[in-house]
Amino acid sequence: MNFLSMAGNTILEVNNLTTIFRHENQVTRAVDDISFSLQPGETLGIVGESGSGKSVTALSILRLIPNPPGKITKGTILYDSTNRGEINLLTLPEKELRKIRGMEISMIFQEPMTSLNPVFTSGVQVAETILQHLHVSRKEAKEMVLQLFDEVKLPRPAEIFRSYPHQLSGGQKQRVMIAMAISCSPKILIADEPTTALDVTVQRTILDLLREIQEKHRMSILFITHDLGLLGGFAGRVMVMYKGKAVEQGSSIEIFRHPQHPYTKGLISCRPPLDVRLKKLPTVEDFTSGDNGKIGLIQEESSRLFSLQNIQSAEEREKIHREIYSKPPIMTVSNIKTWFPVSFSLFGKPLDFMKAVDDVSFDVYSGETLGIVGESGCGKTTLGRTILQLVHATSGKITYEGVNLGKMKAEQLRNLRKELQIIFQDPYSSLNPRINAGNAIMEPMIVHGLNGNSRQQKERTIELLEKVGLQPGHFDRYPHEFSGGQRQRICIARALAVGPKLIICDESVSALDVSIQAQVLNLLNDLKRNFGFTYLFISHDLSVVRFMSDRLIVMKSGKIEEIGEADAIYAIPGSVYTRELLSAIPKPFL
Amino acid sequence: MGRFILKRFFYGILVLLGVIVINFFLFNVLPGDPARMMLGQRADIASVEAINKDLGRDRPLVIQFFNYLNDLSPVSIHNASDPESYWYLDQTKYNPVVKLLPLPGKDVIVLKTPYLRRSYQSKRMVSDILAEGFVNTIILAIVAMTFAVFLGIIIGILCAIWKNSFIDRISLVFSVLGMSLPSFFAAILNAWLFAFVLGSITHLNMTGSLFSVDDFGNGEYLDLKNLILPAFTLGIRPLAIIVELTRNSLLDILSQDYIRTARAKGLSKFRIITRHALKNAMNPVITAVSGWLASLLAGAVFVEFIFDWKGIGVVIVNALEKYDFPVVMGAVLFISVILVIINILVDIVYGMLDPRISRKS
């Protein structure tokens, strides 16, 4: 009956898969005619930026696309089932498919925080999968779960079994998810950005765990990620997706060493390199002409970016630094402590504190970019907010140009806010959806009474829009009409509107795709060169921080672990923690 | 969890103390002389003074307040021997009484049921009047809410599963209708339709309370069918709200990541909804239900009036009309106690449904 058949020794074969999303009358082809196959025990990586259709491809395999609005319109997904032989997952009745889900093909997802049900203990949730598919008693299932927890290296399995998701850390939750996924010894594991939401050191351990489990159970893994660097040592073969299409497919070594497609080339080179210090990052646009999504190599531009002129030598850097650090510091932070009370006595007296920032001191020099790096929860964001007086320090002193910020009156502080600005992480939530781009940028000028009358303010706003690489016509548009990168440009323009001297970039590029990240980083550096800003650049991304920073602060649990010249720290880490952090950066073939 | 409940209990007592203070002083500054109300406009001064003395109204307000507190407190101090004393342990007021500890002098510490005073009008104990009305009210409220909760959640789930289907649209129309229908109008409409027009089929009475009086002198008997119409009428609005809340909250939950995880496990749609989604979706419903239950327990005046249901709402309205302050004060206090208890219960239910609320991570 089944006239379609797979090549021998293939476990999964996807042919011409097309998935569309219908929003009102608009049809988007999220996945457009994708074909690939998976061998037993193999890892296939699917790489692409947000909106490239990589997650939709993964979800389409188990038909987990929310319908409506999503619909698989074309293609076959042939799977070599243990008991049923070769079957097409797209035409399989829902009831049969449910026996495949979790049993023969299982998934782990990007957000371990939201992928577990908050109202059940983690043990119960894993046991549920086992009870669904295997004919075992509750007691046996519990035993199996405890074994699985041990296998995914969770400490104290019995305790984790009884814990609710919110009582576990992000890494632990992802381990619980992995335990759930491998509980019925599936033949295929689909991992949809399993490490994106995790810290870099945790990411490393999760990848090691996946590799170990794969070897032990001889599973095939379909690994979806936006980070090419991650796949280097992990996936045997890689498929690169762009706007719903597969643009390149091949062994990962080949793709890293000799990328054929311009988009792949751009993707590989727009990540800040760790070996050399570039003046300007290449962007995907340097490799592709963006018109109508048509891709063609712009030879001239890319060759310039890879030339020696774009590499900043140690001598050049030293010269710049000598100039910056000869002057007295613009800001001095001394012994800052920011503690948040976590438990109270009956009469509201705080009993215990979360020491977000604990006795931190450093100087900031005019014209430098001071990077602050650390894992989530290390206090880097609180530190930034304390400096801006958005959060009050428990004790300590911050002097800016000789004035103690903590002692300032509200009125003085408001004047000072002109000089100290912040660009937040999430460009989606830091713009009010009901205020258009122009007015968002103009608002701080109006508040501070800057740049003359409203006509002059508007002119200035248009000037700013152009400076951050947007068009004057964007003035009247609303945030939802912009892409993520464009929104972050608006946020930058808004910070520039009041003529600041010191700008705190709090994870300003973390929510953006790598190619857009490169553009925004270049923009920040251009602006700095033109206006002589000082940046406090807060990020968890070690490569990005290195590219941006003159000096670097490494933070851990509220304290400064290490402070010094950025390149020097990367070359010879001074503390054990920094070394650990740096060794966890995923490295493609070097 | 135990500590959490204890804490809520402690706060509850604080709230009640506040209610008692406001209650007492408010009703003592309001116009209205109880002696005049008891004796009529043409009473002589001697009788008025005698009654004021009897009620203790000739004493300073602060003393009166402490006496009131002493009356309410289950553990109180009384004068055991002198019947003339303002603090005399009067067996007609405090009954039953357990003497705990004699103090030096004539005083004694006792354990008793709180004394809510007597009605100015009927001279009956306020606690008796309230208890009578409350039994009727609590039965009506619980039946109405049970009906609304069960039907509401089921219809809400169906609407969420078949979003935008015929069922969903029809129930939306009925929800809007139910929410906007005033209770007195719904009561009259139901009484007319089900007990008058269709009376010969349904055999329901247009009015009637939980107990009816036998025409042949055999006393009162339980008449459960009188419960149907008032409970249905009271349940309409909560039902409409619960349907919409369940539907919307469930739809919100069904788009969460952990529902996708549940699907990827291979669970059936039925199991995903009943096990993974419903427990998460219940919080807004619980909030609405507790609010409605509390307000129904405080008496549904219109419905009780129209169906002649002898509940607490009617008692309060009658007392207010006649300036019968002890009854009103007693009722206010009584309702506060109910609200505090319901709030504590709801917090416990929240904690059971969602472990993030009561436990510390």
Side-chain angles (χ1 to χ4, degrees), chain A residues 102 114-115 117 124-125 128 133, chain B residues 257 261 264-265 275-276 280 355:
Chain A
T114 56
S115 294
N117 195 332
V124 164
Q125 295 190 56
E128 193 179 24
H133 295 292
Chain B
D257 286 350
T261 308
K265 277 182 189 176
R275 188 172 155 83
H276 282 265
N280 280 290

Side-chain angles (χ1 to χ4, degrees), chain B residues 8-295:
Chain B
R8 298 305 313 233
F9 195 73
F10 175 71
Y11 287 139
I13 293 197
L14 283 185
V15 168
L16 287 182
L17 265 178
V19 170
I20 291 171
V21 172
I22 294 170
N23 202 11
F24 178 82
F25 287 101
L26 188 67
F27 282 102
N28 271 289
V29 295
L30 280 180
D33 183 353
R36 287 268 174 217
M37 257 177 282
M38 288 160 123
L39 296 167
Q41 292 300 315
R42 302 175 59 161
D44 58 305
I45 291 178
S47 318
V48 168
E49 275 177 356
I51 283 196
N52 274 338
K53 190 164 187 309
D54 186 42
L55 292 175
R57 285 179 66 94
D58 53 342
R59 288 167 199 264
L61 205 56
V62 180
I63 300 292
Q64 284 188 48
F65 175 67
F66 282 113
N67 191 256
Y68 182 58
L69 263 188
N70 204 31
D71 277 355
L72 291 179
S73 167
V75 179
S76 52
I77 306 170
H78 291 279
N79 185 319
S81 60
D82 179 14
E84 286 300 302
S85 165
Y86 188 40
W87 307 88
Y88 176 59
L89 184 64
D90 189 344
Q91 296 288 336
T92 57
K93 292 179 179 173
Y94 315 115
N95 196 20
V97 152
V98 182
K99 285 183 189 169
L100 288 180
L101 183 71
L103 293 175
K106 297 165 186 169
D107 293 343
V108 64
I109 295 181
V110 300
L111 183 72
K112 65 169 197 306
T113 49
Y115 172 57
L116 292 170
R117 313 261 160 116
R118 282 172 186 276
S119 159
Y120 291 162
Q121 291 292 327
S122 63
K123 304 286 188 305
R124 291 178 63 206
M125 296 274 277
V126 169
S127 41
D128 290 347
I129 298 175
L130 292 178
E132 246 175 55
F134 186 65
V135 170
N136 287 335
T137 296
I138 200 169
I139 288 173
L140 182 60
I142 286 177
V143 172
M145 281 317 290
T146 314
F147 152 73
V149 167
F150 271 93
L151 207 61
I153 290 178
I154 290 171
I155 297 177
I157 293 173
L158 295 180
C159 290
I161 296 176
W162 293 301
K163 188 183 153 197
N164 294 334
S165 69
F166 180 71
I167 287 193
D168 188 22
R169 277 158 211 265
I170 284 289
S171 65
L172 180 69
V173 171
F174 275 101
S175 293
V176 172
L177 207 69
M179 277 186 247
S180 47
L181 198 63
S183 64
F184 60 87
F185 184 68
I188 295 170
L189 192 71
N190 285 333
W192 172 76
L193 187 66
F194 294 110
F196 184 75
V197 178
L198 301 174
S200 54
I201 305 165
T202 59
H203 298 288
L204 293 174
N205 303 322
M206 284 187 73
T207 62
S209 197
L210 191 58
F211 292 93
S212 292
V213 182
D214 191 303
D215 290 340
F216 305 102
N218 295 330
E220 289 186 328
Y221 66 95
L222 193 65
D223 200 357
L224 277 178
K225 75 170 192 289
N226 282 345
L227 192 57
I228 296 171
L229 283 182
F232 173 65
T233 309
L234 274 183
I236 290 176
R237 288 178 83 178
L239 172 70
I241 286 166
I242 290 168
V243 167
E244 286 310 296
L245 278 177
T246 308
R247 173 192 181 269
N248 294 339
S249 157
L250 205 55
L251 281 178
D252 183 44
I253 297 292
L254 285 176
S255 65
Q256 298 288 322
D257 286 350
Y258 52 79
I259 297 299
R260 188 180 56 191
T261 308
R263 289 182 65 204
K265 277 182 189 176
L267 301 186
S268 67
K269 197 163 183 175
F270 178 77
R271 193 171 162 81
I272 289 172
I273 285 179
T274 52
R275 188 172 155 83
H276 282 265
L278 207 54
K279 205 173 168 193
N280 280 290
M282 275 300 105
N283 268 5
V285 180
I286 300 287
T287 311
V289 168
S290 66
W292 273 99
L293 191 62
S295 75

Side-chain angles (χ1 to χ4, degrees), chain A residues 12 14 17 19 30-31 34 36 44 46 52-65 72 77 89-90 101 105-109 188-193 222-225 239 241, chain B residues 260 264:
Chain A
L12 186 80
V14 175
L17 178 71
T19 306
V31 174
I34 293 275
F36 62 90
L44 172 67
I46 300 185
S52 64
K54 57 189 191 305
S55 283
V56 178
T57 306
L59 291 170
S60 296
I61 293 171
L62 283 178
R63 299 212 322 247
L64 291 172
I65 299 287
I72 300 167
I77 296 176
L89 294 179
L90 292 185
R101 287 180 187 156
I105 304 178
S106 63
M107 275 192 89
I108 45 180
F109 300 97
I188 303 176
L189 177 68
I190 303 173
D192 186 4
E193 304 248 16
L222 194 61
F223 193 92
I224 285 126
T225 181
M239 178 167 90
M241 284 186 74
Chain B
R260 188 180 56 191

